[in-house]
Amino acid sequence: MTQLFRLAALVSLIPTFATADVVWKGDFETGNISQWTRSQSVANSRLQVVTDVVREGRYALKATVRQGDDPIGASGNRNELLYISQEKVNSTWYYKWSTLFPTNYPLDERWQVFAQWHQAGCCGSPPLEFYARNDELYMRVGGAKGKVLWTAPMQRGDWHDFVLEVKWSPDAKAGFVQLWHNGKLVVKKTHAATQFGKELNYLKLGLYRDSSIRPEASVYHDGFHMASTLEAVLPPPPPPPPEPEPAPTEPEPTEPEPTPPLPEERTDTPLEQPTTPDAPTAETPVAYPQNRWGVTTREGTITPENPLGEPQAQSCSATGAGSAPFTAAVGLLSLGALFVRRRKAAEARAHAKR
């Protein structure tokens, strides 16, 4: 184990930065497993870098376990990669990776670990591990008697994207974990002992399961990053979908202005004149007033001065009411004059006879 840590110190001198905040990559984009410290496998075929099932980039890891695979002579069957990270006490780090269980992955009620931070000492469950039972996934902190802080359906055939924040400390009040799964915060900051005493941890990725499980099983891993900031490993939220462009709208049809009606044409028929009670009609005979000289006709009044009854000029009064007294006065004067003339004529004849 001492030689293992010395090798880790040499590996740590090799810069593998993608950004200033990413301190190590194990994403297999080299096309092999050279980014990792070493492997624990019974054959190279158990830890294959593949191109047919990937989460990002061009390459991913396919880890396969058959019953009896025991490369280190310990409990359980395994084929795993190791990275001797040796996080210091009270240091905080962020990790990102993706895991997929294929659709034919055999379900079993016994434990199957697919990612773990193992203590440097021998034996026992690690202080931080991700494992499967039946069709559920779990995260546990604190070893075999620790707390299960997260569980979710396995959903075979789908990628699981993990972002993990850990403060490494053997003090349960100082150490903590925080977990994002598929872009959602599923475990808020939870305090727990993330180290066993003074033992430093190292990363193991692959598949490690109970030795009594018989069927062969494979699991895929991709895109492992270790960083000093959350922004370096937490993918940005997807951009909002573009707003659809509004469809061109045709102007609403406007109703034409109402045409003013044309003036009615006049006909040849004269308008009927209203009748008044004083207006004579064809059915009503006109009664003309009588006087001592004759009758009053439609044309005029027959008088000694107007024996033919010709029309006479009307007076200038505002109404016709003043014409009757005036006509009577003229008639009396005319009668008096006629009487005087006849008298003078009679006297003249009598004087001539003398």
Side-chain angles (χ1 to χ4, degrees), residues 21-298:
D21 297 331
V22 176
V23 298
W24 175 72
K25 278 187 176 184
D27 57 4
F28 313 105
E29 289 307 302
T30 57
N32 52 40
I33 60 173
S34 61
Q35 296 166 307
W36 295 77
T37 304
R38 68 184 184 89
S39 67
Q40 293 177 344
S41 64
V42 297
N44 292 336
S45 61
R46 300 292 201 272
L47 296 172
Q48 289 182 309
V49 176
V50 298
T51 58
D52 57 336
V53 181
V54 298
R55 181 55 167 164
E56 59 182 61
R58 298 177 57 190
Y59 302 100
L61 175 71
K62 179 181 180 181
T64 303
V65 173
R66 297 175 183 174
Q67 190 177 31
D69 288 351
D70 184 9
I72 62 174
S75 61
N77 297 155
R78 78 185 74 210
N79 290 293
E80 296 176 295
L81 289 174
L82 285 72
Y83 177 65
I84 310 303
S85 50
Q86 288 190 295
E87 295 89 345
K88 295 180 179 180
V89 176
N90 293 324
S91 64
T92 301
W93 296 96
Y94 301 86
Y95 308 90
K96 175 189 82 73
W97 80 98
S98 300
T99 299
L100 179 141
F101 295 85
T103 55
N104 62 350
Y105 189 85
L107 302 179
D108 198 286
E109 64 180 3
R110 287 159 286 191
W111 57 267
Q112 303 175 74
V113 177
F114 59 90
Q116 58 176 317
W117 279 259
H118 201 283
Q119 68 274 22
C122 176
C123 309
S125 296
L128 178 56
E129 61 182 328
F130 288 80
Y131 63 93
R133 284 183 184 271
N134 293 319
D135 59 349
E136 293 288 321
L137 305 181
Y138 300 86
M139 181 185 73
R140 183 170 63 185
V141 180
K145 297 182 179 180
K147 298 178 181 178
V148 174
L149 301 181
W150 170 78
T151 183
M154 180 183 287
Q155 293 182 330
R156 291 178 293 179
D158 295 337
W159 283 98
H160 295 269
D161 299 324
F162 299 100
V163 173
L164 176 67
E165 179 186 6
V166 184
K167 182 175 181 179
W168 299 104
S169 175
D171 184 355
K173 295 182 180 179
F176 65 81
V177 296
Q178 193 165 205
L179 177 67
W180 289 261
H181 176 247
N182 292 341
K184 296 180 180 180
L185 179 63
V186 292
V187 178
K188 296 181 180 180
K189 182 183 292 187
T190 303
H191 289 277
T194 54
Q195 287 180 307
F196 292 160
K198 296 180 180 181
E199 296 184 66
L200 301 181
N201 298 325
Y202 61 95
L203 170 64
K204 301 185 76 174
L205 189 72
L207 184 59
Y208 170 45
R209 70 184 190 180
D210 189 290
S211 60
S212 62
I213 300 175
R214 292 180 177 273
E216 178 181 320
S218 296
V219 64
Y220 295 86
H221 299 289
D222 197 5
F224 206 102
H225 287 62
M226 177 178 175
S228 59
T229 64
L230 177 62
E231 292 76 17
V233 294
L234 188 64
E243 296 183 0
E245 296 184 0
T249 56
E250 297 182 358
E252 296 183 0
T254 56
E255 296 184 359
E257 292 286 340
T259 304
L262 296 175
E264 296 182 0
E265 296 184 359
R266 298 187 61 180
T267 62
D268 294 336
T269 304
L271 297 177
E272 293 185 1
Q273 297 295 330
T275 59
T276 60
D278 296 337
T281 61
E283 294 79 8
T284 305
V286 179
Y288 295 99
Q290 300 289 327
N291 57 38
R292 63 182 298 176
W293 297 102
V295 297
T296 301
T297 67
R298 186 187 300 271

